[in-house]
Amino acid sequence: MADIILNKIYVKVWRQNSPKAKGRFETYQVENVSQGTSFLEMIDILNDKLIREGKDPIAFDHDCREGICGMCSMYVNGHAHGPDTEVTTCQLHMRKFSEGQTIVVEPWRAAAFPVIKDVMVDRTAFEKIQQAGGYVSVNTGGVPDGNVILIGQDDAEEAMDAAACIGCGACVATCKNSSAMLFVAAKVSQLAKLPQGKIEAKKRAKAMVAKMDELGFGSCTNTGGCELACPKSISIAHIARLNREYLSAKLSD
Amino acid sequence: MSSFLSASIGRKFLMSITGLFLISFLCIHLTLNLFLTFDDTGTLFNLAANFMATNPFIRIMEPLLALGFIIHIIWSGWITLENMRARPQKYAYGDQLLSWWAPAKNMFILGFMVLIFLIIHISNFWIKMKLTGDPLLKDVVVDGVEMHNAYALVSNLFLSRWYDLLYVAGGILIGLHISHGFWSAFQTIGFSNQIWLKRLKFLAIAIGIVFAAGFSYIPLYFMIKF
Ligand code: HEM
Ligand code: SF4
Ligand code: FES
């Protein structure tokens, strides 16, 4: 199939020089973009043009460009990771856009994710939440036999579903409350379903929720936008489990 | 404990418990109010209203109900405010995933409109029945028992088409609030999973429709009949 070329599109992107600086939108024209181009490649083309014009290129996070690292945080036309389902921005293609269209690109907006530059935000908050309790203790010594601890198929599946979370922050970016509940739920759930996670279960739920609150994320009102925006389709059923884990830990205090 | 009630999940827990409590009250309230439409002489409704006014269990529940409302309202304001602070800079091109009117996105606005309706509703009936009195309430005798003529007060108010419409709107607002609130409350207390999520969401809409239709039916009945 012959590739369709977009002769002209407009990219209206958030420009902000530093965390403290006041940002503004800037609109750029991009020409001759194949619809087979990925969204980030289109930004690369635009940046190439900006550099050659002696202008500052758009700063954006990216790494794997195959939907696994969770770096490519961009809010495109009112959708975290753009107008496609179950993809990250790097997996988004220009075939989702049409000739002459203006594409609005914004950074994740949340008090807990301050802008570093342009559409690049600081997501250290997620790491801090993980450090607060998203781990299991392991004994040192010889390697244990993998078959010693038996795990039921259903539990393994559910834990794996939760473990699919790549920490991209699309849930926070989409949530009207900038709540990190889907992320925390995924991180708590992936361990709650496994015997290895049982030891620190109570401490984990309490510590991670306390950290999430402290860092200025909003609280969940079960709006459900997060699961629709999540590139890994993490279900909000995991949020119910987090609530259960947290409440039962608090009750047994 | 105080840290629990101010933590994100703790605050939500309080909202969900009070919300479910308010729903259970609404079930009783709707059932009794429907008596208004079963007997146009008003005897049946007066008996029901008198039973509620004199029943010791209900007398105990009344202040609890007021407390439930107050907690639900204060905590809802607190959560909503904190949640707004969590996104100081809004998007220029806002969220496209849920429609603008989705109850899930508008719980505070819906709740606030329900509150305004409730204030009018309480001044229409409760204040007159419990505090100030009203000539329409002049005692009637049913089976040898003297009681307020609550039916006269209600049926008189519903002669006004404006009040009829206001009460229809009140019913619809409550229905919308509950069509999200019901399943949300179970999700908050952790009673949900992949399977129950679907069931609870279905039930929430069904209950929302029952409340909206039930509460609207009463003023519509008076509007059409009288
Ligand atoms: C008849 C009266 C009411 C009933 C039956 C009711 C019921 C509920 C229920 C069951 C919830 C879900 C709780 C949860 O998600 O955990 C809820 C949430 C909420 N209610 Fe009410 N409510 C009523 C009145 C009000 C009023 C008067 C207000 C405010 C002025 C209000 C504001 C809210 C807010 C902001 C939420 C949102 C929290 C969320 O989205 O999860 N409600 N309500
Ligand atoms: S839950 Fe989904 S949207 Fe949220 S950080 Fe994980 S992968 Fe991203
Ligand atoms: S760049 Fe790694 S997920 Fe997009």
Side-chain angles (χ1 to χ4, degrees):
Chain A
M1 203 179 83
D3 210 8
I4 299 168
I5 304 289
L6 300 171
N7 293 317
K8 202 180 280 179
I9 50 165
Y10 301 93
V11 178
K12 183 178 167 189
V13 59
W14 184 257
R15 303 303 311 256
Q16 182 173 338
N17 283 334
S18 66
K20 290 273 183 296
K22 216 173 120 53
R24 75 216 169 272
F25 280 104
E26 208 67 76
T27 306
Y28 303 102
Q29 192 176 310
V30 190
E31 283 132 24
N32 296 330
V33 180
S34 148
Q35 281 200 326
T37 311
S38 85
F39 192 80
L40 295 190
E41 280 163 353
M42 183 276 291
I43 300 280
D44 290 337
I45 294 169
L46 170 58
N47 272 346
D48 192 51
K49 179 178 145 186
L50 290 176
I51 292 166
R52 272 190 270 167
E53 288 169 1
K55 292 180 187 154
D56 198 17
I58 301 156
F60 66 101
D61 264 327
H62 60 105
D63 190 7
C64 70
R65 298 210 177 194
E66 55 178 353
I68 48 178
C69 73
M71 289 302 287
C72 49
S73 49
M74 282 190 206
Y75 201 81
V76 182
N77 279 359
H79 294 267
H81 293 141
D84 200 352
T85 46
E86 301 186 16
V87 296
T88 49
T89 312
C90 57
Q91 295 170 299
L92 177 69
H93 283 80
M94 294 311 293
R95 63 183 83 96
K96 286 279 161 189
F97 302 92
S98 49
E99 182 63 43
Q101 194 179 353
T102 300
I103 305 169
V104 183
V105 185
E106 300 174 72
W108 284 174
R109 297 283 187 204
F113 288 163
V115 171
I116 298 171
K117 190 172 190 310
D118 299 339
V119 293
M120 182 190 257
V121 298
D122 180 0
R123 282 171 302 158
T124 321
F126 269 8
E127 264 125 70
K128 289 186 183 151
I129 295 174
Q130 270 294 66
Q131 284 157 8
Y135 51 78
V136 289
S137 299
V138 275
N139 292 325
T140 53
V143 180
D145 179 358
N147 292 324
V148 167
I149 305 171
L150 295 178
I151 298 163
Q153 170 74 5
D154 292 350
D155 288 341
E157 285 290 337
E158 261 196 88
M160 275 310 285
D161 284 348
C165 167
I166 54 174
C168 64
C171 43
V172 175
T174 300
C175 174
K176 77 176 183 32
N177 313 314
S178 300
S179 166
M181 279 290 271
L182 192 64
F183 166 76
V184 178
K187 297 302 172 198
V188 164
S189 236
Q190 68 184 8
L191 300 175
K193 290 303 278 183
L194 302 177
Q196 293 92 331
K198 291 280 185 285
I199 302 153
E200 288 112 342
K202 291 204 165 99
K203 209 178 104 200
R204 176 179 311 116
K206 285 189 292 187
M208 290 178 80
V209 169
K211 193 46 115 189
M212 165 183 91
D213 291 354
E214 181 198 314
L215 293 169
F217 292 101
S219 56
C220 175
T221 60
N222 305 321
T223 319
C226 55
E227 81 176 347
L228 298 176
C230 175
K232 302 297 159 187
S233 304
I234 308 281
S235 158
I236 56 171
H238 293 292
I239 295 183
R241 177 174 300 108
L242 169 60
N243 287 333
R244 206 150 62 228
E245 292 273 321
Y246 178 84
L247 292 170
S248 67
K250 277 285 179 184
L251 274 177
S252 64
D253 264 357
Chain B
M1 197 62 192
S2 67
S3 77
F4 173 67
L5 296 181
S6 61
S8 58
I9 299 181
R11 280 196 301 235
K12 281 296 316 250
F13 181 71
L14 220 53
M15 287 293 294
S16 87
I17 296 297
T18 51
L20 287 176
F21 177 57
L22 297 180
I23 290 179
S24 68
F25 151 74
L26 282 185
C27 292
I28 303 172
H29 196 47
L30 177 60
T31 312
L32 285 182
N33 287 3
L34 284 174
F35 286 173
L36 283 163
T37 63
F38 294 163
D39 168 14
D40 290 339
T41 68
T43 312
L44 198 60
F45 180 69
N46 280 338
L47 273 171
N50 187 53
F51 170 77
M52 293 300 274
T54 52
N55 184 318
F57 175 72
I58 301 295
R59 300 294 292 271
I60 299 169
M61 291 312 278
E62 224 176 26
L64 276 181
L65 182 66
L67 188 70
F69 265 113
I70 292 167
I71 293 176
H72 191 81
I73 292 164
I74 292 177
W75 257 259
S76 79
W78 186 11
I79 291 180
T80 308
L81 213 71
E82 291 262 304
N83 283 350
M84 281 161 62
R85 286 220 312 239
R87 176 163 296 144
Q89 167 101 42
K90 308 282 174 252
Y91 288 107
Y93 198 142
D95 158 42
Q96 303 296 303
L97 287 170
L98 296 162
S99 42
W100 62 270
W101 61 269
K105 269 171 114 172
N106 296 293
M107 287 299 273
F108 186 74
I109 297 162
L110 286 170
F112 192 77
M113 291 197 289
V114 169
L115 178 63
I116 293 171
F117 169 76
L118 278 176
I119 292 169
I120 301 172
H121 176 51
I122 287 171
S123 64
N124 287 154
F125 300 126
W126 192 86
I127 298 220
K128 287 181 181 160
M129 287 181 197
K130 299 286 159 125
L131 305 174
T132 61
D134 192 280
L136 283 167
L137 283 168
K138 200 158 59 67
D139 280 0
V140 285
V141 180
V142 181
D143 297 336
V145 186
E146 270 193 37
M147 57 184 71
H148 275 345
N149 192 354
Y151 182 83
L153 192 65
V154 178
S155 54
N156 184 63
L157 184 83
F158 282 164
L159 287 177
S160 152
R161 293 301 170 249
W162 289 116
Y163 272 109
D164 288 335
L165 292 177
L166 179 74
Y167 276 71
V168 170
I172 293 172
L173 288 172
I174 288 176
L176 285 170
H177 194 75
I178 289 173
S179 71
H180 174 71
F182 183 79
W183 80 263
S184 173
F186 283 98
Q187 171 86 355
T188 301
I189 57 175
F191 182 89
S192 185
N193 58 26
Q194 304 273 20
I195 299 158
W196 275 93
L197 199 60
K198 292 195 199 84
R199 293 179 183 162
L200 289 167
K201 279 187 176 180
F202 176 80
L203 261 181
I205 290 178
I207 293 173
I209 290 173
V210 169
F211 277 126
F215 280 117
S216 311
Y217 171 66
I218 299 162
L220 284 175
Y221 175 84
F222 280 89
M223 195 168 160
I224 289 159
K225 191 135 189 199
F226 301 101

